[in-house]
Amino acid sequence: MTATAETQGAQMVTLRIWRGDANGGKFEDYSTPVTHGMVVLDAVHQVQATQATDLAVRWNCKAGKCGSCSAEINGRPALMCMTQLAHVLTDQPIVIEPMQAFPTIKDLVTDVSWNYEVKKRIKPFQPRKPDAPDGTWRMDQVDVDRVQEFRKCIECFLCQDVCHVLRDHHKHEEFIGPRFLVYVAALEMHPLDTADRLEDLKDRDGIGYCNITKCCTKVCPEHITITDNAIIPLKERVVDEYYDPIMRLWRLFVPKRTALPMVSS
Amino acid sequence: MADYPTHEHDVLVIGAGGAGLRASIEASAAGVSVGLVCKSLLGKAHTVMAEGGIAAALANVDERDNWMVHFSDTMRGGQYVNNWRMAQLHAQEAPARVRELEAWGAVFDRTPDGKILQRNFGGHRYPRLAHVGDRTGLELIRTLQDHGIHKGINVFMEYTVVRLLKDGDRIAGALAYSRERGRFAVFKAKAVILATGGIGKAYKITSNSWEYTGDGHTLAYDAGAELQDMEFIQFHPTGMIWPLSVQGILVTEGVRGEGGILLNNKGEQFMYNDIPDNYKNQTAKDPEEGWRYCQGDRNAQRPAELLTRDHVARCIMREVKAGRGSPHGGVYLDIAWIKKKIANAPEHIKKKLPSMYHQFKELGNIDITTEPMEVGPTTHYVMGGVKVDADTQMSRVPGLFACGECAVGINGANRLGGNSLSDLLVFGKRAGEHALKYAKEHAAPSLNADAVEAAAKWALEPFDRQGGDEGPYVIQHALQDMMQDLVGIVRKEDEMQRALEGLAKLKERAKKAKVVGNREYNPGWHTALDLHNLLTVSEAITRCSLLRKESRGGHFREDYQNKEAAWAKVNLVTRKGPDGEMQVEQVPIPEMPAELKQIIEEMK
Ligand SMILES: Cc1cc2nc3c(=O)[nH]c(=O)nc-3n(C[C@H](O)[C@H](O)[C@H](O)COP(=O)(O)OP(=O)(O)OC[C@H]3O[C@@H](n4cnc5c(N)ncnc54)[C@H](O)[C@@H]3O)c2cc1C
Ligand code: SF4
Ligand code: SF4
Ligand code: FES
């Protein structure tokens, strides 16, 4: 972004950005001009280009597609590239800090490697035999709609950041968090998949820790109905499988997948 | 050198977009060790941003489609300076690569009979793009990522390669630094695959992210490989132009594929005023026929809005220059109008173009289901890249391979939409396969400690510079402004000469660029190192554009507006001369085999 006629005599905004690393840090104030339609990430870049060239921030697409620029803006987990300054502007400085559920690396950049490790543990996709002799499958659009909703996830990890089980109770060892419950749901409800992840969900993945506060759904920039469409149906499956003797018998005769009602988002 | 951790692999892949991931999966299939380095986190590479779809002649929607039609569409789009062998392999192998994605868990949109759905796109004769709404790239990269993490590939995220290392003539590995700690690491490998993507950050207005600084192009060039077709840059006709902060962000061609029309400020559908001769047979006579085509009428021809990108971009420029543009210097793209044609149009638009809807709503305060968008050209894709063998993807440096956007060949003078994602898969697989073969046939190379030391010293220079007080961003912005103005969509001799002079000055400034702070996660330092890459590719673009005295595809010269038969026979090849100077040579295109010529003839 370059300065144009518009920026001259323009309104200024103060960004209060957390600067520091794993050993600690503090907030610093930067004043920078606001232009029409500017997003928080633009303002941070402007500060970086002119006042603090070593300010660390992750970004790639600047269009809400890659999930790199997650941070907490005035205390709310959000993508910096999709948050218009106009929407968070008050007479107070805009406070920008790194996600709190993960260790800080530097400034706005956090160590999210735990998420990558969690994903590796989850049983991968295992398709049934192809439906057609040419090795392809047939699936109806209505049967993939829900899985497509889950597959919109851009792995911004904002839902992980906001979930109290991780953020406040630090159950990273026992609970995979909403992002990976969505991931498991996408696999479990994939019409072609044949693997069974229910035991893992109950034991290793800690689905029981989720008490359906729906905070994750509220912050998801992709508007995935995490709790209603992914977590609750998974919880029901776990209950059916492990705590309901009639369902257990039923499953002996009927294959694992049955249609579940979909909550529209 | 003993100070730097050394990671040894049979195959080292640089870049974790679609091409790098596909190559890594292929190379790891046979149990050799594979290292994968990337500048960002896994899953965040440019590929994630691709919207419209992946081109493959699956013939699910129109059974008349087959590889031969796809091949001839690609050659026509590329104005026949493509590497015909690559265009052929690509068209033949793309369907299998797409089906393979489905076997790995991808969930494409479906046809009524449950197959992978395909949509219309510019320059493709039949509906050919497999897609997932307008987030196809996300589906592709996530599928490869989730499949790849179970293959034993060693992934190094947020590592930036600054130099390729050689053992005599052959490749030996790379020197990289980790962003998090700012420390160097040596990667030793028998074979190296470059999959670093494009160069868009050489321009001011671009759909590309900070990663697109031409690293692979420059690493290869510095290591003795050749670049080709660097004059061919794709300016995508529809980028966002307003507000300024979103300038350049892509508006997928899928909008036009779904029936979106381009209008000037008089409300004219101006694309119908100028239809190139070689597309007359395949273009609708009027907007009505164009709409019928978008609705799947097989007797109708494509709307003029779906002509190739180079042409549409220039028509938009012409409207703007003639004073028929929109308030912020673009034209209108209207999809809302389809409400006149179909019931529940707003729902349909949101379903087919969800991220466009979201993008305009959140960033532009515009509801595309009720109002038109303002759009203008944006630097999008580089057709030019590392020259490789069509079948193996190996460059002229033994053991150095390249694939994806950083390699050259399939696209010629202009890439058709959707052909990149399929290119990544087809040639990513091939690069992986042949790098693996090469690694198996060759012993481990040895590393030259002095070369490693020299590269590390060079990379640290920005920290110790005395005197200069310019930061790297100022220089980067100056370069972007200059390339945009002087070597952009419309090019002229004197302007490009000025660009060459400007580049020489910028090189001097870059040598003095200073960075502050320490080595940990320091974007200023990173930008200072990128300057070398940006300047190298910018020089290659400028020199090749000066030399090609005609207009073809993405390369348009105001002083030579016609296409010349003589220029259809050559590619421009760039290499580093013995004294470090940049050389550009005209290299004849090999004669196309008779059977391919015949295909092109039959599809005319
Ligand atoms: C907005 C947008 C929409 C698009 N839509 C479509 C579409 O619908 N259909 C289509 O076919 N094409 C589309 N394209 C084009 C297509 O997405 C790209 O050409 C393609 O994704 C490039 O893939 P790649 O694997 O070559 O590189 P990328 O996906 O860009 O990956 C490059 C990788 O290299 C790494 N890297 C770069 N330099 C270094 C270095 N020095 N050291 C270490 N790692 C490095 C990066 O970190 C990254 O991991 C679109 C492009 C954009 C920008
Ligand atoms: S609904 Fe469950 S997963 Fe989501 S934030 Fe609340 S506790 Fe966490
Ligand atoms: S589910 Fe939503 S919030 Fe969570 S990582 Fe995915 S996109 Fe982000
Ligand atoms: S930069 Fe990609 S989501 Fe913000």
Side-chain angles (χ1 to χ4, degrees):
Chain A
M1 270 214 56
T2 44
T4 62
E6 241 206 316
T7 53
Q8 280 152 27
Q11 188 193 354
M12 300 294 284
V13 62
T14 302
L15 304 185
R16 181 162 293 170
I17 305 177
W18 193 86
R19 301 292 315 264
D21 55 26
N23 302 319
K26 61 179 189 331
F27 285 99
E28 298 217 14
D29 285 0
Y30 302 92
S31 178
T32 195
V34 187
T35 55
H36 171 75
M38 195 170 181
V39 294
V40 170
L41 185 64
D42 292 322
V44 170
H45 278 157
Q46 229 164 252
V47 167
Q48 190 189 52
T50 54
Q51 304 172 48
T53 56
D54 61 341
L55 170 61
V57 54
R58 279 198 187 105
W59 70 283
N60 282 74
C61 66
K62 219 170 114 31
K65 294 190 168 72
C66 72
S68 301
C69 65
S70 308
E72 298 188 6
I73 303 166
N74 289 341
R76 191 175 187 279
L79 296 177
M80 286 184 274
C81 72
M82 294 303 277
T83 307
Q84 281 196 38
L85 269 184
H87 296 162
V88 288
L89 218 50
T90 61
D91 49 0
Q92 298 296 310
I94 298 176
V95 180
I96 309 172
E97 50 192 319
M99 288 192 284
Q100 302 295 301
F102 306 110
T104 303
I105 292 176
K106 186 181 164 193
D107 305 337
L108 301 177
V109 174
T110 53
D111 178 357
V112 292
S113 57
W114 169 78
N115 293 285
Y116 289 88
E117 293 308 316
V118 169
K119 191 188 246 184
K120 269 196 221 160
R121 299 203 302 253
I122 295 167
K123 268 190 208 157
F125 176 67
Q126 219 176 293
R128 67 173 184 235
K129 286 221 172 64
D131 302 333
D134 65 354
T136 58
W137 288 270
R138 300 291 175 271
M139 292 183 269
D140 283 337
Q141 185 62 45
V142 286
D143 296 328
V144 299
D145 275 341
R146 181 167 31 185
V147 176
Q148 287 188 329
E149 180 196 358
F150 302 149
R151 292 182 66 89
K152 285 194 308 193
C153 170
I154 56 174
E155 301 201 330
C156 64
F157 307 129
L158 288 169
C159 56
Q160 307 284 72
D161 183 44
V162 82
C163 176
H164 68 104
V165 184
L166 299 170
R167 187 186 178 100
D168 302 327
H169 305 290
H170 309 288
K171 297 281 181 204
H172 295 72
E173 290 301 313
E174 293 134 89
F175 180 55
I176 60 175
R179 157 58 192 137
F180 294 103
L181 292 172
V182 168
Y183 181 65
V184 173
L187 289 163
E188 283 288 302
M189 299 179 204
H190 193 305
L192 306 184
D193 182 67
T194 58
D196 188 342
R197 300 170 189 81
L198 293 185
E199 191 181 340
D200 289 346
L201 266 181
K202 176 170 75 74
D203 300 336
R204 198 190 53 195
D205 301 345
I207 191 170
Y209 279 107
C210 165
N211 57 345
I212 321 197
T213 60
K214 301 200 184 185
C215 310
C216 49
T217 306
K218 283 186 205 122
V219 298
C220 177
E222 285 293 308
H223 306 295
I224 300 171
T225 321
I226 304 176
T227 336
D228 289 352
N229 282 355
I231 301 181
I232 294 175
L234 286 180
K235 276 177 173 276
E236 284 170 357
R237 288 183 181 202
V238 170
V239 169
D240 289 351
E241 180 81 11
Y242 292 98
Y243 307 103
D244 181 340
I246 300 174
M247 275 309 286
R248 219 141 111 196
L249 250 166
W250 173 252
R251 271 172 204 283
L252 278 180
F253 303 102
V254 183
K256 124 185 173 204
R257 220 162 301 280
T258 46
L260 285 160
M262 180 161 168
V263 181
S264 65
S265 51
Chain B
M1 193 180 118
D3 297 313
Y4 310 134
T6 300
H7 306 283
E8 196 165 343
H9 297 98
D10 293 308
V11 178
L12 175 71
V13 182
I14 304 173
L21 281 167
R22 188 62 190 82
S24 306
I25 290 170
E26 198 62 23
S28 65
V32 306
S33 62
V34 178
L36 174 60
V37 269
C38 52
K39 288 204 278 193
S40 291
L41 297 174
L42 199 56
K44 312 294 183 197
H46 232 81
T47 300
V48 79
M49 291 173 227
E51 295 164 358
I54 171 165
L58 295 163
N60 286 354
V61 172
D62 194 319
E63 80 290 344
R64 291 172 294 181
D65 203 10
N66 58 50
W67 78 263
M68 291 174 282
V69 192
H70 192 181
F71 165 75
S72 62
D73 286 351
T74 302
M75 294 298 294
R76 185 186 299 108
Q79 314 253 0
Y80 304 104
V81 292
N82 325 44
N83 177 318
W84 44 260
R85 174 67 180 156
M86 277 174 79
Q88 175 193 15
L89 290 171
H90 167 256
Q92 287 172 330
E93 295 174 8
R97 296 288 80 77
V98 172
R99 291 197 193 106
E100 184 173 73
L101 285 183
E102 185 154 275
W104 295 347
V107 184
F108 291 101
D109 287 354
R110 317 307 297 178
T111 63
D113 57 349
K115 296 183 192 164
I116 296 173
L117 180 62
Q118 299 181 274
R119 70 155 49 115
N120 293 311
F121 238 57
H124 293 281
R125 180 174 287 207
Y126 302 119
R128 189 176 283 146
L129 270 71
H131 61 277
V132 186
D134 52 6
R135 56 163 191 84
T136 313
L138 171 64
E139 191 68 18
L140 185 141
I141 199 167
R142 197 69 81 233
T143 302
L144 293 174
Q145 175 189 343
D146 294 351
H147 187 73
I149 55 175
H150 300 287
K151 295 281 165 198
I153 301 160
N154 292 321
V155 183
F156 299 83
M157 296 189 225
E158 300 195 312
Y159 274 69
T160 301
V161 171
V162 291
R163 193 70 63 84
L164 293 178
L165 303 170
K166 287 171 77 178
D167 176 4
D169 282 340
R170 70 176 278 205
I171 202 76
L175 178 76
Y177 87 89
S178 85
R179 215 157 150 80
E180 185 177 333
R181 297 271 161 260
R183 300 288 155 206
F184 293 110
V186 172
F187 290 87
K188 187 172 165 185
K190 295 175 184 168
V192 173
I193 301 175
L194 291 169
T196 54
I199 59 99
K201 277 288 159 192
Y203 289 84
K204 179 175 159 205
I205 302 175
T206 175
S207 63
N208 296 172
S209 83
W210 66 271
E211 292 204 315
Y212 267 25
T213 44
D215 297 11
H217 291 75
T218 307
L219 290 167
Y221 170 83
D222 284 337
E226 293 172 324
L227 306 179
Q228 183 182 297
D229 294 346
M230 291 303 289
E231 68 277 31
F232 297 127
I233 308 284
Q234 179 165 81
F235 300 95
H236 193 291
T238 60
M240 290 177 85
I241 56 172
W242 187 255
L244 267 189
S245 67
V246 296
Q247 196 178 37
I249 293 181
L250 193 77
V251 181
T252 175
E253 192 168 306
V255 175
R256 285 170 280 145
E258 297 296 336
I261 55 176
L262 290 166
L263 301 169
N264 61 20
N265 66 14
K266 297 193 156 60
E268 288 166 347
Q269 221 174 320
F270 60 86
M271 284 307 301
Y272 283 89
N273 301 340
D274 177 7
I275 296 168
D277 286 340
N278 61 339
Y279 279 97
K280 282 231 160 81
N281 285 340
Q282 309 184 1
T283 308
K285 293 183 304 301
D286 51 39
E288 189 53 38
E289 182 180 349
W291 167 251
R292 280 194 282 116
Y293 174 90
C294 292
Q295 287 301 93
D297 179 344
R298 299 173 46 154
N299 298 316
Q301 300 298 329
R302 277 202 293 277
E305 275 84 2
L306 288 181
L307 285 160
T308 53
R309 291 178 175 176
D310 50 334
H311 180 74
V312 180
R314 276 194 302 277
C315 289
I316 293 177
M317 293 283 284
R318 192 186 51 207
E319 293 305 305
V320 174
K321 273 199 181 147
R324 295 190 291 267
S326 65
H328 300 102
V331 295
Y332 296 105
L333 172 61
D334 188 10
I335 181 77
W337 81 276
I338 67 171
K339 62 177 175 275
K340 290 189 205 147
K341 295 284 184 183
I342 57 175
N344 65 19
E347 295 322 306
H348 178 78
I349 294 168
K350 284 185 213 167
K351 169 80 195 161
K352 284 294 173 185
L353 303 161
S355 63
M356 285 305 104
Y357 174 75
H358 192 58
Q359 185 173 310
F360 274 90
K361 192 104 195 152
E362 304 281 326
L363 299 174
N365 299 323
I366 281 180
D367 178 353
I368 67 167
T369 68
T370 60
E371 330 163 57
M373 303 158 243
E374 263 190 271
V375 296
T378 181
T379 312
H380 185 53
Y381 183 91
V382 61
M383 273 68 79
V386 182
K387 187 170 164 37
V388 289
D389 176 77
D391 288 76
T392 66
Q393 300 294 108
M394 190 160 91
S395 71
R396 73 168 185 174
V397 175
L400 179 63
F401 298 76
C403 56
E405 188 169 341
C406 75
V408 70
I410 113 151
N411 299 303
N414 174 56
R415 172 180 74 94
L416 296 186
N419 268 2
S420 172
L421 293 184
S422 40
D423 163 20
L424 310 181
L425 298 175
V426 168
F427 295 105
K429 176 175 190 295
R430 282 184 166 267
E433 189 178 312
H434 289 278
L436 168 80
K437 187 158 173 280
Y438 182 93
K440 282 188 168 164
E441 287 165 359
H442 291 81
S446 54
L447 288 174
N448 175 342
D450 294 343
V452 172
E453 218 31 74
K457 189 162 167 279
W458 171 82
L460 287 177
E461 271 174 18
F463 284 107
D464 338 302
R465 285 179 183 144
Q466 308 296 323
D469 56 1
E470 238 183 355
Y473 292 100
V474 186
I475 304 170
Q476 193 204 51
H477 292 166
L479 172 69
Q480 291 165 340
D481 284 339
M482 188 188 81
M483 289 300 287
Q484 186 79 31
D485 290 345
L486 304 181
V487 202
I489 305 186
V490 176
R491 300 167 175 174
K492 284 203 287 229
E493 185 83 17
D494 57 331
E495 290 185 348
M496 289 192 286
Q497 290 294 357
R498 266 172 40 220
L500 272 188
E501 289 158 26
L503 283 168
K505 288 191 194 123
L506 286 167
K507 268 190 205 165
E508 289 311 308
R509 283 166 69 182
K511 281 188 196 144
K512 296 191 208 115
K514 210 162 121 170
V515 298
V516 299
N518 51 27
R519 284 163 66 174
E520 276 101 48
Y521 220 108
N522 187 335
W525 180 31
H526 200 99
T527 304
L529 296 181
D530 286 346
L531 285 175
H532 168 67
N533 306 332
L534 281 175
L535 285 162
T536 306
V537 292
S538 297
E539 184 180 344
I541 294 166
T542 310
R543 288 193 186 281
C544 293
S545 305
L546 268 167
L547 210 62
R548 189 175 277 276
K549 294 192 177 9
E550 66 153 356
S551 293
R552 181 180 297 273
H555 173 66
F556 185 78
R557 298 255 330 218
E558 197 167 81
D559 40 3
Y560 300 94
Q561 300 202 4
N562 295 326
K563 210 158 39 177
E564 303 295 340
W567 279 106
K569 295 190 165 51
V570 289
N571 291 125
L572 294 179
V573 170
T574 308
R575 68 176 80 86
K576 201 175 194 168
D579 303 317
E581 80 289 1
M582 188 175 279
Q583 301 176 338
V584 183
E585 192 194 342
Q586 296 186 24
V587 174
I589 299 174
E591 184 76 14
M592 195 186 298
E595 67 271 20
L596 294 182
K597 276 189 189 155
Q598 197 188 337
I599 292 172
I600 288 176
E601 212 36 55
E602 281 165 10
M603 303 289 164
K604 270 217 164 110

